[in-house]
Amino acid sequence: MSVQPAPDASEGIDSMVEAHWTLVADTTTAFKGTAGQREHASPFAARPVAYSLATDTTVGALLLFSLLLTAVIYMASWHNMCQQAKNFMLLPRSQHQMPNVETKEEKYGAVILCALMCFSAAVMTLAVHTDEITSRHGLHLLAYTGCFAGYYALRFVLYRYANWVFFDRVKNLNWNEGFSLLTSLQSGLFLALAFLTVYDGEYMPIIATMGLILLALLKIGLIFRTKVIFFSKMGGILHFIAYLCTLEVLPMLIIIKTLMYLANVLIIKF
């Protein structure tokens, strides 16, 4: 009877270790392959989030700051605005009376409100082109704000120059009082529309219609004010039409064409 040699214990241990690491390697490879397939096929894979003004903290902070600043200016100028509104409604009987003199704070407040109005208009313009813009939204917002600032500055200079050339000082002061009131109201209107556009954009058609109606009412008020002060006689209707076409329609056409050109350039290059 032959005697079999006893198996070496070290060889058994090495075989078990090798089998273990082989199993681990196979399991890891299978897991990686399965995970890769799931990542490739999963409908919940991570995608870049589209830009939205509602999630832009900088725009939100600027809008909030504009709202607070507008509220402060309105509170500081409330008495003067009420007096301007009263004189606006009583204009046919008091157009030859000297208006109240604005303080420096009220003049500065009117300038700040005009600047805020330019920013609000730029925000609404940016909201219209948000889907077409891929980057540098701050540059677009700054460009639109500057464009509107240029428009209102040009319009203001044209009005002041034409009124100074053709009309007397008392009529100019009375007209400037109503113009300042309408500008302040338009600034508040644009800020409210900017908030609605950014944070409630799904109702854009309703917001746009409401804004156009209110803006049309302000324009009608300006036309009424201009007609009663500068063109009270029926014989001046042709001069009145030429006045409005030069100082209202022409700057509006310029700003529309400028915004269209600026939007195309910024979207193509940036």
Side-chain angles (χ1 to χ4, degrees):
M1 181 176 178
S2 61
V3 179
Q4 298 292 335
D8 192 357
S10 61
E11 293 181 359
I13 295 176
D14 292 340
S15 300
M16 293 175 61
V17 171
E18 183 178 358
H20 170 74
W21 285 114
T22 302
L23 178 62
V24 170
D26 294 340
T27 305
T28 304
T29 303
F31 178 78
K32 287 184 178 180
T34 304
Q37 294 174 0
R38 289 178 179 176
E39 182 180 358
H40 178 73
S42 175
F44 302 101
R47 297 184 179 90
V49 179
Y51 176 81
S52 174
L53 284 175
T55 58
D56 192 326
T57 56
T58 302
V59 173
L62 289 174
L63 284 174
L64 182 59
F65 175 76
S66 300
L67 178 62
L68 295 176
L69 192 56
T70 301
V72 170
I73 295 174
Y74 275 2
M75 292 176 62
S77 310
W78 181 252
H79 177 74
N80 184 53
M81 292 178 64
C82 291
Q83 188 63 39
Q84 288 176 346
K86 180 181 178 181
N87 294 339
F88 192 96
M89 301 305 298
L90 298 177
L91 183 60
R93 295 182 296 175
S94 59
Q95 60 176 328
H96 298 294
Q97 296 179 2
M98 290 293 293
N100 296 329
V101 179
E102 290 184 337
T103 63
K104 290 184 178 181
E105 290 77 9
E106 291 170 345
K107 290 182 179 180
Y108 293 150
V111 174
I112 294 174
L113 286 177
C114 187
L116 296 178
M117 178 170 57
C118 295
F119 171 71
S120 301
V123 170
M124 289 186 286
T125 305
L126 182 61
V128 175
H129 298 286
T130 298
D131 296 337
E132 304 173 8
I133 300 172
T134 57
S135 62
R136 298 194 179 186
H137 299 83
L139 177 62
H140 288 73
L141 182 60
L142 184 62
Y144 292 150
T145 304
C147 187
F148 279 106
Y151 161 71
Y152 284 108
L154 174 64
R155 182 166 167 261
F156 177 77
V157 170
L158 289 177
Y159 265 119
R160 292 299 293 266
Y161 178 75
N163 294 345
W164 176 74
V165 171
F166 296 106
F167 308 108
D168 58 62
R169 179 172 178 270
V170 176
K171 289 184 177 181
N172 273 312
L173 291 175
N174 278 288
W175 185 88
N176 291 338
E177 184 182 40
F179 184 78
S180 177
L181 173 64
L182 294 176
T183 302
S184 300
L185 295 177
Q186 185 174 339
S187 177
L189 169 64
F190 274 29
L191 183 59
L193 291 176
F195 266 100
L196 291 174
T197 302
V198 172
Y199 297 107
D200 203 4
E202 58 183 79
Y203 299 102
M204 184 70 73
I206 300 176
I207 296 172
T209 302
M210 179 178 60
L212 289 175
I213 292 175
L214 294 177
L215 185 60
L217 291 177
L218 293 178
K219 292 297 183 182
I220 291 173
L222 179 63
I223 293 173
F224 166 77
R225 180 86 173 180
T226 303
K227 178 67 174 65
V228 173
I229 293 180
F230 295 147
F231 304 95
S232 57
K233 297 181 180 179
M234 292 301 297
I237 187 66
L238 295 179
H239 296 86
F240 178 56
I241 294 175
Y243 178 89
L244 288 180
C245 290
T246 304
L247 302 181
E248 280 291 332
V249 179
L250 182 60
M252 188 174 297
L253 294 177
I254 292 175
I255 186 63
I256 292 174
K257 295 296 291 184
T258 303
L259 285 174
M260 292 174 61
Y261 173 78
L262 186 62
N264 290 332
V265 170
L266 290 175
I267 290 172
I268 292 174
K269 291 189 175 182
F270 302 101

